[in-house]
Amino acid sequence: MNTQQEFSLVATAASGLEALVGKELRDLGIECAVENGRARFKGTMATIATTNLWLRTADRIKIVVGEFDAYSFDELFEKVKALPWEDFLPLDASFPVAGKSIKSKLYSVPDCQAITKKAIVERLRGYYHRPASVPLAETGALFQLGVALLKDHVMVTLDTTGPSLFKRGYRLEKGGAPLKENMAAALVMLTNWRKDRPFVDPVCGSGTLCIEAALLGHNIAPGFNRSFACEEWDWFSDSIFETVRKDAEEKADYDVELDISGFDINGKMIEIAQANADEIGLGDSITFKQQAVKDFTTEKEYGVIVANPPYGERLGEAETVRELYQQMGQAFKPLSTWSKYILTSDLQFEEFYGAKATKKRKLYNGALRTDFFQYWGTRPPRMPRSQSAE
């Protein structure tokens, strides 16, 4: 396949994070359109490699093989069969089909998957001159396909990513209710933190928020430590990922001094957090320490606190968790120059924290509806022009 061929692409995202994915794409110089659960864009193999390597808040990068409306299974079959599958799938390709259907006449997902698979098999048999009596081997590389129906509109996709983009490859161990890495990156990016300011996670667990902040601060591509499904495809050029990885390595700023701290009352979690940071080579960029929230104090100014405390969803936990929210409110109250950002599903959080949020943002942590409570600190004084020009 020509390396300059243009593909129609989508970056899928958790509900509430689509705009962030769109911003990330534009920051990479890629024009896009943001929709529910995804951002659409166009690009070459180099674009596929770049977005897999660099997008911090997306889930997957998929090629849109085809789109059409279908109101019957016959129509679905014929329109899937008409797509140029031989351009994507070699004879030995392993190509499972995932499916979903929302508000469509063809509501049976297993039937939609089976018909899509059957149509592709028929197309490939014809192209590769294989008799109907001999099944396709499917012993080669994985080409994960998807057929998604929304109000009778069908989108057929090919996943280039493999394991979701949140799997950065550094989490050796995790705590009881871990935050996915791309969600953690999103929380950091939704704050006013900059790499020249202090960053604190007072309930750091396995350290994910601190590690994602350090990756951002050092401008390290989040996918540099892993591989992607499309690298196994015979038609995807090896040299493209080599070039994109080399470029990412040159863009990383390992010399910048960061002030990132993570605290947790559980000493075992601090050990896990340190091990995870060491695994990705950021052990020296983050300070982890065992400490309860109520004991947090600092002389520093204009920092940012980002926290994903327990939500008290389990039976009998609510009281303990709300006590923690009170302790947070008391410990953070003197820090007037600091901005504080706290994610929880407890809609009464402000009551226990003891202050109304400056702003709230609805986000989904997995399937759970949560709010990101934002308390903005005072802005640092502007430097006189004569000083800032020096």
Side-chain angles (χ1 to χ4, degrees):
M1 197 180 280
N2 178 358
T3 56
Q4 293 308 304
Q5 178 169 336
E6 191 171 68
F7 300 94
S8 177
L9 302 165
V10 291
T12 61
S15 182
L17 301 187
E18 305 92 340
L20 267 183
V21 174
K23 183 182 184 306
E24 284 196 85
L25 285 165
R26 292 182 196 107
D27 288 347
L28 289 169
I30 300 165
E31 274 308 305
C32 65
V34 173
E35 301 176 355
N36 278 344
R38 66 188 176 217
R40 286 177 177 262
F41 56 105
K42 292 188 182 299
T44 61
M45 289 185 202
T47 315
I48 291 170
T50 300
T51 49
N52 269 305
L53 206 69
W54 277 102
L55 289 185
R56 297 178 194 277
T57 59
D59 286 326
R60 296 174 185 284
I61 309 302
K62 297 181 178 184
I63 295 169
V64 180
V65 182
E67 273 187 278
F68 48 82
D69 291 337
Y71 303 95
S72 70
F73 287 128
D74 284 345
E75 193 175 7
L76 177 65
F77 180 89
E78 293 301 336
K79 287 182 174 177
V80 170
K81 188 183 167 188
L83 297 172
W85 291 105
E86 61 279 1
D87 292 351
F88 299 98
L89 305 180
L91 179 57
D92 67 347
S94 170
F95 56 102
V97 179
K100 62 180 179 182
S101 178
I102 301 166
K103 296 179 180 172
S104 297
K105 287 186 177 63
L106 307 181
Y107 57 82
S108 168
V109 173
D111 285 338
C112 291
Q113 289 170 271
I115 284 160
T116 299
K117 178 89 176 183
K118 188 179 174 189
I120 297 167
V121 167
E122 195 159 309
R123 172 86 182 202
L124 293 178
R125 277 194 203 288
Y127 182 81
Y128 291 114
H129 308 294
R130 284 294 182 272
S133 57
V134 181
L136 298 181
E138 295 203 45
T139 52
L142 175 66
F143 293 78
Q144 178 64 62
L145 303 177
V147 57
L149 288 81
L150 175 62
K151 296 179 182 172
D152 304 314
H153 184 72
V154 182
M155 183 186 278
V156 187
T157 56
L158 168 57
D159 174 32
T160 71
T161 301
S164 176
L165 289 175
F166 79 80
K167 297 197 171 178
R168 315 277 207 235
Y170 63 73
R171 201 140 73 175
L172 302 173
E173 280 191 73
K174 53 195 181 193
L179 197 61
K180 284 182 179 174
E181 291 87 329
N182 52 1
M183 181 67 166
L187 297 186
V188 177
M189 290 164 76
L190 286 169
T191 73
N192 61 350
W193 181 69
R194 297 197 311 265
K195 60 188 175 186
D196 59 349
R197 291 184 177 191
F199 178 99
V200 169
D201 179 356
V203 283
C204 71
S206 57
T208 311
L209 278 164
C210 293
I211 293 168
E212 290 298 323
L215 286 171
L216 262 169
H218 286 299
N219 197 36
I220 296 170
F224 88 97
N225 207 29
R226 56 162 288 176
S227 59
F228 303 95
C230 57
E231 292 183 79
E232 299 298 315
W233 302 346
D234 59 359
W235 55 264
F236 203 102
S237 170
D238 292 342
S239 63
I240 283 170
F241 266 99
E242 282 171 30
T243 304
V244 169
R245 284 195 174 98
K246 187 168 180 287
D247 179 59
E249 186 63 34
E250 287 167 5
K251 283 179 175 160
D253 180 0
Y254 293 101
D255 298 327
V256 66
E257 289 281 327
L258 300 176
D259 183 353
I260 298 175
S261 306
F263 303 97
D264 203 281
I265 197 167
N266 183 339
K268 173 67 177 160
M269 291 315 300
I270 291 297
E271 286 174 28
I272 289 171
Q274 188 65 58
N276 288 341
D278 290 342
E279 173 65 17
I280 202 163
L282 294 173
D284 294 337
S285 296
I286 308 166
T287 305
F288 290 111
K289 184 183 169 188
Q290 183 177 2
Q291 181 181 276
V293 169
K294 62 183 173 63
D295 298 326
F296 176 73
T297 58
T298 181
E299 296 297 311
K300 295 171 187 173
E301 290 195 306
Y302 304 109
V304 172
I305 290 169
V306 187
N308 175 45
Y311 304 161
E313 292 285 318
R314 295 194 188 119
L315 203 62
E317 282 183 352
E319 202 174 310
T320 313
V321 165
R322 285 172 167 178
E323 192 179 323
L324 176 68
Y325 297 161
Q326 280 178 322
Q327 291 170 357
M328 277 184 168
Q330 286 158 9
F332 301 163
K333 194 174 182 181
L335 310 176
S336 59
T337 68
W338 282 65
S339 292
K340 305 100 178 174
Y341 299 82
I342 298 134
L343 185 76
T344 175
S345 63
D346 190 336
L347 298 177
Q348 291 178 275
F349 170 78
E350 292 160 306
E351 195 182 307
F352 296 95
Y353 181 81
K356 290 285 283 181
T358 315
K359 189 179 176 185
K360 287 191 291 189
R361 183 174 179 135
K362 183 171 75 173
L363 294 171
Y364 281 87
N365 186 4
L368 191 63
R369 150 75 199 270
T370 58
D371 278 295
F372 199 32
F373 292 89
Q374 306 175 30
Y375 296 85
W376 299 346
T378 54
R379 286 169 178 255
R382 283 175 176 269
M383 277 197 297
R385 279 203 176 156
S386 56
Q387 263 182 278
S388 60
E390 282 172 18

